[in-house]
Amino acid sequence: MSLLQEEREIILSNEFVESFDFAEVTEFVKNASKDLFISHHFKNKPKGKMLVQPRGGFPTYKKQFELSEFFVKSNVDVLPLTIDSNTRLNDYATAQKMLRLSEENDVDMLNGYPLINHGYRTTRKMFTHFNKPVSLRHGTPDARLLIETAIASGIFEIEGGPITYLLPYSKNFPLDKAFLYWKYVERVCANYSGLNEPINRESFGPLTATLVPPAITIVVQLLEMLLSLEEGVKSFSVSFAQQGSMMQDAVTSEVLMKMARHYAEEIDCGDAAINLVYHQWMGAFPTNKDYAEQLINMSTVIAKLVGADKIITKTREEAAGIPTKEANAKTVANTQYTLGILNGLPKIVDAEEEEILTLEVQAIMEAVFNDPADTLWRKVFNCIKNGIIDVPFSPHIINHNNMITIRDAQKNIRIIDRGNVPIPDRCFKYERAQCDLTKDTTSIVNDIVHDIGIMQ
Amino acid sequence: MSLLQEEREIILSNEFVESFDFAEVTEFVKNASKDLFISHHFKNKPKGKMLVQPRGGFPTYKKQFELSEFFVKSNVDVLPLTIDSNTRLNDYATAQKMLRLSEENDVDMLNGYPLINHGYRTTRKMFTHFNKPVSLRHGTPDARLLIETAIASGIFEIEGGPITYLLPYSKNFPLDKAFLYWKYVERVCANYSGLNEPINRESFGPLTATLVPPAITIVVQLLEMLLSLEEGVKSFSVSFAQQGSMMQDAVTSEVLMKMARHYAEEIDCGDAAINLVYHQWMGAFPTNKDYAEQLINMSTVIAKLVGADKIITKTREEAAGIPTKEANAKTVANTQYTLGILNGLPKIVDAEEEEILTLEVQAIMEAVFNDPADTLWRKVFNCIKNGIIDVPFSPHIINHNNMITIRDAQKNIRIIDRGNVPIPDRCFKYERAQCDLTKDTTSIVNDIVHDIGIMQ
Amino acid sequence: MKVVTGVVGNDIHVVANRLIDLSLRARGFDVFNLGVNTYLEEFFDAAVETGADVILISSLNGEAEGWGREVRAIKSRYKTLDDIIMMIGGNLVVGSGNAEDIEPRYKNYGFDIVCHQIDLNTGLDMLEEFIKERNNP
Amino acid sequence: MKVVTGVVGNDIHVVANRLIDLSLRARGFDVFNLGVNTYLEEFFDAAVETGADVILISSLNGEAEGWGREVRAIKSRYKTLDDIIMMIGGNLVVGSGNAEDIEPRYKNYGFDIVCHQIDLNTGLDMLEEFIKERNNP
C-alpha cells in the first residue's frame, strides 16, 4: 500500500480538502452499519426483489438532506448522491464559490452536491442518520479524491469507470490517464472491502444512450468489471439501459450475466458478487408528462423481466430539466408499487439472438485479449484507439465512430457498418439481414434520427 | 327465417319500441361504411396493432355524443356503448322515466345509454357521424330486442353470451332461457353478416374477475364461441382479463387461441375469424390514482405480450366509481402511446404449464361433449348444473361453487379443490404442488382475501 | 351447530358470502348458504326448515339499515325462533358511520352480534365466544 | 468539394454532428469533422490546412450567438479564406427566437447559409443549391 499511500498524499494536498484521519475512517468503515452497504442488501434481499434508486443531488447540505428524507419516506431502497459538474472536473474552487452562493441566496447554483467542499465529516452525518445505502453518481475522469471522500462519508457504492465515464462525456480527456486514475479507485475500494461488507462498484452501461449495440455495451461492461475485479473488488454491478426492444433487453441481460460470470471465473475472481442494474430509458423523453410516466412504468416492467437487481429511475419531468423532489419521490413510490404487483414472470427465449450476441461479444473480447500490450488496461486502451471497441455517438476524439447502427422493424439495434469492430461475418450478415438496406444514405440518416427519438 | 320472424314480432310488440323498418335496416347494413365494422378492422389492421377500446355510457344523446367525440379526439379505435342497468333487465319503462329526468335536470339518472328508448333511428345518426366501430357492452340475459336495435343503429359488435353475462351478475335468472335468448342473438348476427362485413360477437371472459382459473375461463370462452359459430356467426372474439401473473396470462392466451382454432375446425367453422380481446385488470383497483395508472400501463404491456387484437381499458378513477370522460380519454391516449413504444416482443415459453392447462381444458370439453343431451346448449346447461363447469364466486344459484382456487407464490391462480370439475389427476396434483397447503382453512381464507386484493 | 347465512336484500356481493361459507365449515359448522340477494323472510324460513342455531346475515352495499328495522317484526311471526342467535356483519351503513352508534342500534333491531367493518375471522371468533358463553353462563 | 464541420464552443451535442458527417459523405463531399467542442479558430485552421470549400458549423446549446459575433474578426486574419462558403445550423438562439430576425443577423455575422431549426436534409439541399448557383450564376 506504499505506492498507493504516496499517490494518496499527493491527491490530498489540495487547499479545498479537509485533513483526512485515515485511522478514524478505517474504524468507521469497520464498524459501519451493514445497512449502509448495498453489497449487503444485494446478498440478503429476497429472490426477485429489485432495489429502487432514483437520481438526485442538490448543492447545499440542507437541500440534500431534505431530498434524502423525502426519498426515505417514499420507500426508496438506495439513496443517490449526484455530484455537481465542477467537482467532476476537479474544479473545487468554482464549486466552493457556487456552494456559498447557493447557501446565501437559496438558489441552486450547482447541478449536484459538491462533496469535496462539504467534506466527509459533514456528509457522513447525513448518511449515517438515514442508514440507507448510498450510491455515488458522478462522471468524473479523475475521481481519486472524490472516492476517498465518499467512502469516508459512508458512501459504499461507487459508479463509473475509465471507459463509461469518459467516452460519453468528454472530447479529449486523455484516456490512458483515466485508466490509471480508476485503477487507484479500484484499489481503494478493494482495500476498504476487507474491513466490513465489500464496497460495491458499478459500471455505467448506458454509455451515450444512443443506438449503442448490445455487443459494445456488454464488452465495455465486462472489461470494466475485469479491471475492477483484478484490483481486488469483491462486489460489482454491470448495467445497461432500456434499448427500445424488449427482446433485445432480455437477450442482453442473459448474455451479459452469463459472460460476466464466465470471465470472472477465468481470472479466478469467481468469489466476487456480480449484480445487474437496469436504467430506465436514458434517451430522449416525451415532453408529455403522462406519456413519460407510461415509458417509466414500461421500463420497470422490463427491468423485472430481465431480472435486474437494481433499477435506476427517471421522472415524469425528465424532458423538462432537473426534476423536483416530488416528481422523483412519485416515481419511487410508483416503481415500488409496480414491482409489487408484477408477478409470475415468464421465461423468455431467443436462442438464435442469444447465440449471435454471444459470438459477437466473444470475438471482441478475444481481440482485446490478443492485443500485444502487457496489462489489461493497456490492451483495452489500444483497442479503443484502433476501433476494435467503437462506441456510437461518443464525442471523444479517440473513438473511431465508424460503426453505424440502425433499428430493425422490431426496434432492435442492428449493426449495418461494423467499422473496425471484429463482428464475425456470420453475425454481421445476420444483423444486416434484419434491416431494410435498400434505402439510400439520406433515408438511413432519416431513419437514425427517427430511431433516436422512438420514445417521443 | 320464419320462426325467427315470429319471435321477432313478439319481441317488437312493446310500447317502448319504435316501429322497425327491416327493409330499410337491411339496406343500411348492406351499404354501411366498412369502417363501422370492427371485423373489417381486425382483418385489415397491421400485424401486431392492437385496437384500443375504453368503457363508457351516458343516459342522454347529448352526453353520449360528447363522450364519443372526446374519445375520437384521443385516438380511440373502438367506441363503447354501455347500456344502463334498467335496459339490461328489460325494464324500458323505468329507463324511459330516468332518461327524461336526466334530460330535464342535467343529472345522470342512469348508469348507461338506454338504447331502446333512444331508438335506432336516432342512435344511428351518432355512429354514422363518427364512422368508427362501436362495441355494445351490456350484461343483458334477454338481449334480443337490444341487439336488433343495436345492429339497426350501426353497432356491429355485440358483447356477451348466455354464460358470461349470466353467471357473474344474476342470482336466479333461468339459465336455459338465457341460452335460447342468446341463440336468437347469434342468429340475428349471423343473418346480417352476409350483407356486408360480418357482425362481430365477443364473449365476456373476465366472468366474476375473482380467482377464476384459466381452465374455466377458456372452457367458457370456447363454448360460447361454438354456440355462436354453429348459428352462423363468422367473426368472434374470445377474451380474458389480466389474471395477476404474466406467465399465466401468456399461457392462457396461447392455449385459448390454439384450442379456439381447433374446436372451430372441428365443427367446420374454420372460415370464421377468431380474435383475442384482453381486459385490463378487472379486480379491485388501488384507490391511489397514480398506482391505478401503473396497473393500467402494466396491463397494456401484458396485452401486447400475449398478442391481443383488442384491449379494453380502465381508468385511474376506477376505484372511485364512474370515471369522467377526461380520465377515460387520458387512458386511451396513454395506452396508444405505450403500444407505440412497446417493441421487440420476446417469445415466451412454458411448455409444462401449457401442457397442464391444455389437458385440463380438453378434459372439461370432453365431459361437456359427452353429456347425453341432444344439443350443445343443453349439454352446456347440464354441465353447469352438475358442476362440471364451476365458476368461482358466481352468485348464481345454479353454479356449484365447490371449486376452490388460491394463488401460488408467483400469483398464478391454482385449483386446490376441484369440486365436480373433471380436472385430470395429474393436473390437479400439479396445481396443488405449486401451493403451500399445510396451512389451516382459516389461513387459506385469509390468503384468498389477500389474493383477491393483490393489486391494491 | 347449524348456521343459515346469506347476503340480505338486493346486494350481489358474493365474495364475502363465499368466504363466510368456507370459514364456517372450517370451524365445524353445518352451513346453509342462501347466497346473495336474499330477502329477510328467506333467512327465517330457512332457519325453521333446517332447525338452525344461528342466522348470519351479511351486507356490503349499505342497504342493511333499511332491512334491519324490520327484523323484530318479521321474526316475531315465527314461533320457534326465539332462541336463535342473530348475527350481522359487513358494511352496515351507507357512507362512513360511527361504530359506537351502529352497534347499539343494530342490537336494538334484534341482533346479538354486530360486526361493522370487522375482519371475518374476528367476527367468527366473536360468534364462537358468544355460543360458549351462552352454553356455560 | 471539401467541408470542414464541427460543433462550436463548449457544446457537446454529438448526435447532430455525426449525422451531418454521414449525410455529407452520402452527398459526395470530403468531410473533415472536428467533432464537438470546437473553437472558432480551429475551424479556420482546419479549412486552411485542408483547402476546404465550405465551413459548416453546428450549434445546439444556444451559445452560437456569442461565437457568431467574432466570425468576421477572426476570419479576416486568414488571407486565403475569402471565398469559403460559411454555413451554420442548429438552435441558433437561447430560448425561442424569431426566424426572421435570426437569419439576417447571422448573415451579418458573415454566414452565407443560415439554418435555424431546419431539418438536416433541407439544410444540405440549401448548401448544394448555393454551390450550384455560385458555379453557374
Side-chain angles (χ1 to χ4, degrees), chain D:
Chain D
M1 298 281 274
K2 293 177 181 169
V3 184
V4 166
T5 191
V7 185
V8 72
N10 290 311
D11 197 334
I12 198 103
H13 284 93
V14 70
V15 174
N17 174 257
R18 293 291 167 230
L19 297 177
I20 289 170
D21 188 324
L22 265 177
S23 301
L24 283 170
R25 284 177 208 278
R27 287 168 187 253
F29 290 94
D30 286 336
V31 183
F32 302 91
N33 187 355
L34 307 176
V36 300
N37 207 349
T38 301
Y39 293 96
L40 214 44
E41 289 86 345
E42 298 179 75
F43 285 97
F44 295 116
D45 289 345
V48 171
E49 265 177 54
T50 61
D53 307 286
V54 182
I55 289 178
L56 196 173
I57 296 177
S58 67
S59 174
L60 272 297
N61 70 355
E63 63 175 277
E65 189 75 56
W67 298 98
R69 297 167 207 275
E70 299 172 28
V71 167
R72 276 193 201 284
I74 298 176
K75 192 181 161 202
S76 67
R77 292 184 221 140
Y78 297 79
K79 301 299 163 207
T80 59
L81 296 182
D82 290 348
D83 290 338
I84 202 161
I85 299 171
M86 295 287 295
M87 176 169 178
I88 189 162
N91 292 315
L92 301 185
V93 288
V94 179
S96 56
N98 189 337
E100 285 125 62
D101 301 341
I102 294 165
E103 203 185 308
R105 196 157 73 236
Y106 274 83
K107 292 214 160 153
N108 202 33
Y109 294 157
F111 288 98
D112 302 299
I113 307 167
V114 179
C115 299
H116 175 61
Q117 295 179 349
I118 283 174
D119 168 68
L120 172 56
N121 280 310
T122 311
L124 297 184
D125 288 348
M126 286 164 70
L127 173 61
E128 289 184 336
E129 193 60 31
F130 187 90
I131 292 168
K132 208 164 70 184
E133 275 179 27
R134 176 183 282 197
N135 292 347
N136 314 296

Side-chain angles (χ1 to χ4, degrees), chain C residues 40 44 67-77 106-111:
Chain C
L40 215 44
F44 295 117
W67 298 99
R69 298 166 206 272
E70 300 173 29
V71 168
R72 276 193 199 283
I74 298 177
K75 191 180 162 203
S76 69
R77 290 184 223 142
Y106 274 84
K107 290 215 162 153
N108 200 35
Y109 293 156
F111 289 98

Side-chain angles (χ1 to χ4, degrees), chain B residues 28 31-37 131 156 196:
Chain B
F28 162 67
N31 301 313
S33 157
K34 303 250 179 234
D35 288 335
L36 287 172
F37 292 86
N131 200 33
F156 298 147
N196 194 330

Side-chain angles (χ1 to χ4, degrees), chain A residues 335-354:
Chain A
T335 302
Q336 294 282 21
Y337 170 76
T338 299
L339 293 176
I341 61 167
L342 196 57
N343 288 296
L345 295 162
K347 288 174 228 155
I348 290 173
V349 285
D350 203 316
E352 185 174 23
E353 291 283 344
E354 197 180 321

